[in-house]
Amino acid sequence: MVRGLFLFFIFTFSSFGLDLHSNIKSIISEQNYALNRDKIDQIFAVESEFIDSNGNLNYAKITNALRVNSLLNLSNSQPINLEISFYSPTSDILMFKSVSEALKSLGYSYFLSKSLKSDTQGIVWQITMNSRFILDPGALYKELGKNYIFIKDVKRDGQFSFVYSIDATKAVLSTHQYISDIEYDLNKPLEPYFLNISNKSEALIKSYASDRWICVIKVLDRDLNLITQIKSDKPEKEVYIKFPPNSYYMLIDDAFSLENIKRGLKIYIKSN
């Protein structure tokens, strides 16, 4: 079953050819598409208007055009059980983090992971959620686009079941802001610090005298694979780390509680 699912997604991704009408059919259902075919042909007569600057379908424009023409209804009178699958040929960790954050930003904080399968061809992540609202492809398109992640295709394989093919090869995730080559104060964290350290060589991280930082530092590559890490079993006042080749992100945490660094941290990150 899993092997067949992978082959389906791989074929979809590799053969993708900006099939606008196939995507419209999936978004509004085959029945609604057939009933409104003439109207749809008229609305989308100039298909190039619905292609974005990266050569992908612009799902925000597509769903907006459908909505203003009364062809898109994403709400239901009662909660429904949605099943959504995401496929990407890139890193499973990167897919999981980027899509999870996008869903939460759209208000889908409560969803269950049904399966997370990966092999050398990529990853398929299946989730379920109970909601009155079907996931809006246009809203997801805009949210993922903030991190240079693109929807390549949307298919409907059941009344409330959808499959998304995702391209995350150019992904750059949202990170905490800082200034290189000076000592910079990071404010009190609400979550672990997540920093972009591409083209950086080393870092010195200091805690405040009245805090008790039990450090956890992880250096990751662009696909969020772990390169190296530092873990302490005692409070640290400063930690130096030299970044190995291919370092792209750094996660800074406390082994027990972020309350241990409630005053924040001071960082000096040196550019190459």
Side-chain angles (χ1 to χ4, degrees), residues 52 63 169 205 208 213:
D52 66 20
T63 54
T169 55
I205 308 166
Y208 284 84
W213 179 37

Side-chain angles (χ1 to χ4, degrees), residues 56-220:
N56 300 306
L57 290 177
N58 188 323
Y59 289 90
K61 282 189 174 181
I62 293 168
T63 54
N64 184 63
L66 292 169
R67 187 178 291 106
V68 299
N69 286 280
S70 302
L71 294 172
L72 181 64
N73 179 21
L74 299 174
S75 64
N76 294 272
S77 58
Q78 298 293 329
I80 56 173
N81 189 47
L82 287 171
E83 183 173 289
I84 305 173
S85 299
F86 299 95
Y87 166 76
S88 175
T90 54
S91 161
D92 52 351
I93 303 173
L94 181 60
M95 153 71 90
F96 184 81
K97 180 174 176 61
S98 58
V99 174
S100 294
E101 289 185 351
L103 290 173
K104 289 177 181 177
S105 295
L106 294 174
Y108 295 98
S109 299
Y110 304 101
F111 53 84
L112 298 176
S113 182
K114 185 176 181 180
S115 66
L116 181 64
K117 305 292 184 180
S118 63
D119 66 8
T120 56
Q121 303 295 334
I123 173 178
V124 176
W125 181 34
Q126 293 180 303
I127 66 170
T128 60
M129 63 178 77
N130 193 258
S131 174
R132 288 184 51 241
F133 302 98
I134 295 173
L135 179 62
D136 183 345
L140 183 62
Y141 163 89
K142 290 193 288 187
E143 199 63 37
L144 290 175
K146 294 176 182 177
N147 292 325
Y148 302 97
I149 299 171
F150 309 106
I151 300 174
K152 305 298 290 187
D153 192 49
V154 179
K155 292 193 181 299
R156 182 189 293 247
D157 64 352
Q159 184 179 6
F160 301 118
S161 179
F162 299 85
V163 293
Y164 284 77
S165 293
I166 305 293
D167 179 6
T169 55
K170 298 180 180 178
V172 178
L173 299 178
S174 298
T175 56
H176 289 87
Q177 299 299 306
Y178 68 93
I179 300 174
S180 303
D181 304 310
I182 65 169
E183 186 170 89
Y184 186 87
D185 291 330
L186 293 172
N187 294 329
K188 176 182 177 180
L190 299 177
E191 59 186 9
Y193 299 111
F194 188 63
L195 309 174
N196 186 321
I197 56 167
S198 61
N199 299 314
K200 306 295 185 286
S201 60
E202 58 189 39
L204 181 64
I205 308 166
K206 300 178 181 179
S207 65
Y208 284 84
S210 52
D211 282 345
R212 293 179 56 82
W213 179 37
I214 314 295
C215 83
V216 175
I217 301 172
K218 296 183 179 182
V219 176
L220 313 168

